[in-house]
Amino acid sequence: MNDTAVETDPAPPLGSDTPLPAGTAGAVARARRGALSLRRLTIAERVGYLRTLKAIILRRREEIIDRIQKDTGKSRADALISEIFGVLDNLAWLEKYAPKYLSPRKVHTPIALMGKSSWLWCEPLGAILIISPWNYPFYQAVVPIAVAIATGNTVVYKPSEWTPLEGLLEDLFAEAQMPPNWVCVVYGDGRVGASLIDQRPDKVMFTGSTRTGKKIVQQAAQYMIPVELELGGKDPMIVFDDVNVERAAAGCAWGALTTTGQSCTSVERVYVQERIYEPFKRALVKEVERIKQEVDTDGDADLGAMTTDFQVQIVAHHVEDARAKGAEFLTGKGWSGASRMIPPMVVDKVGSDMLLAREETFGPIIPLFKFSTEDEVIRMANDSEYGLTASVWSKDLERAKRVARALECGGVSINNVMATEANPALPFGGTKHSGLGRYKGEMGLYAFCNVKSVLIDKDSAKIEANWYPYTREKYRLFTDMTVKLFGGGVIGFVKFALAGMKLERYAKKASQEGRRPGGHS
Ligand code: NAD
């Protein structure tokens, strides 16, 4: 971290003497008790609850959007698109695909283990602690909770103290007929989160800042609790000079500004190839200048307010730092530096030493950078301690894919922006300081499972060739079988079958007669 960054730790210092809120003590034990009834259900029954929940959310969407807006100050359309639609889409995906991916699955059994069958059983872990941030308080609650329920786990859920949506989840889950100890919601700050980890849940799924993520992984390590960390980002957008400039500029404006730039996957660095740098800049400024900013009541505004004052301070610090180091602000020049209504700012002449180039800003700021070659832009994009997502824009799909492969991050959208996380089938997660693990999609289901490996053999008289006793003769026969098995070719396979039978006969005899069957070694 750059040492000139604002040090903000909104949570009170851990270890403070104020008593923890009611419901904190014993929360994990309550969820563990809930796990007993959830475990008994089939996968189809579990996703049945999610289907009911989906219908309830769809019906009550306007009321939920009111609550989201009240806690976050985002625009109504942002709440609809990123939170309500996103949640429904993920619930629909789970309903359709969780039974397919979570049912016992037969996998390949090699020839050397002939006669047996091999299986994957996806079993619940138990009670999962989910800790969420303030930027998507509905989505970041319901999606991981739904993944937990689909995989047969109960949940202790701790929302952000800044956007608790108090009582809303309990109300929705009760209407979906889910018993109260399937999802135990505990309100409070970081101290509450830390105390819940001390109750030793079976897994911690944390979404939030890299700073807190590091504390969580250290605390969980003491108890060997597995963790899933979805952390911050400084996501690059790379625009080559063969693109449709107007479309790329429109995508850039949305990707950098949606939810007032307070998304972990917001576009935070825009690299534009030199030949189109000026036209792209003009198109982007035009796009940004027509944005309507308001905490609206009818869906007729693009951009809302910032959610917290401490995040406003971070943005102000980055803006001041950029101004002092010579950056040029093309839009949003009139901002006081204190209001939560931060106007979107397109920033030119951004140096690599500025906070805008290195730290997560998490506000409606769009820093532009010029590049000339493919190698240069890959170096620039990877020169970050973060690695969440990225986007690459070019008509030449081969080039776009080549660059996407070279980027050190967890997801890349090609000719689109923030699009990988829009597909519930794609796993989500970062590299470097952006996190550990993946959630969502098929792989994300396994993150909440004990994937049990099972091999089934028949009860019979057969003695395995690898069981005792080991003898010189068995060593010779095993070597012969190994060479024939891995030597390749059809004839090799026939020779392997013959060698295998010989070895099996010998193994059986050796087991019945002792170390020297028939008196030979
Ligand atoms: P934060 O780290 O301050 O807080 C996140 C949550 O952790 C809150 O619920 C908080 O109360 C809790 N917490 C704080 N200290 C704790 C501790 N010691 N032990 C346990 N819990 C503790 O983050 P934030 O400011 O709420 O959220 C913004 C950050 O989240 C940004 O960095 C953003 O990039 C990141 N984020 C990441 C993703 C992702 O999926 N990668 C998604 C959304 C937000």
Side-chain angles (χ1 to χ4, degrees), residues 253 257 281-291 293 303 319 323 327-335 342-348 364-368:
L257 303 178
K281 196 166 81 180
R282 280 195 298 277
L284 181 63
V285 167
K286 199 167 144 202
E287 191 68 33
V288 166
E289 278 175 343
R290 65 180 197 201
I291 275 173
Q293 187 168 22
L303 202 61
V319 166
R323 281 217 177 94
E328 191 181 326
F329 285 73
L330 306 178
T331 63
K333 290 176 201 152
W335 181 47
I342 304 183
M345 300 179 204
V346 178
V347 193
D348 198 5
I365 317 296
I366 318 180
L368 300 178

Side-chain angles (χ1 to χ4, degrees), residues 220-282:
Q222 295 172 52
Y223 310 118
M224 293 290 279
I225 301 172
V227 290
E228 193 79 17
L229 298 180
E230 301 292 349
L231 309 177
K234 188 76 193 169
D235 291 2
M237 168 173 181
I238 297 172
V239 189
F240 284 99
D241 63 8
D242 57 349
V243 295
N244 175 330
V245 170
E246 276 69 34
R247 180 176 183 271
C252 177
W254 184 79
L257 303 178
T258 180
T259 307
T260 325
Q262 301 166 112
S263 299
C264 51
T265 55
S266 288
V267 170
E268 291 231 356
R269 296 177 287 154
V270 185
Y271 297 101
V272 186
Q273 201 161 19
E274 54 195 355
R275 196 175 66 79
I276 59 156
Y277 188 83
E278 292 303 322
F280 180 90
K281 196 166 81 180
R282 280 195 298 277

Side-chain angles (χ1 to χ4, degrees), residues 10-11 14 131-136 140 158-161 188-190 193-194 197 206-212 215-216 219 230-233 264 310 360 362 388 428 434:
L14 300 180
I131 301 178
S132 289
W134 47 262
N135 58 343
Y136 291 99
Q140 297 292 5
K158 197 204 83 60
S160 166
E161 59 275 37
D189 56 19
I197 297 172
F206 172 77
T207 307
S209 65
T210 300
R211 183 193 61 232
T212 310
K215 291 184 199 165
I216 292 207
Q219 193 186 348
E230 301 292 349
L231 309 177
C264 51
F310 69 83
E360 186 182 52
F362 225 56
L388 197 49
F428 183 76
S434 290

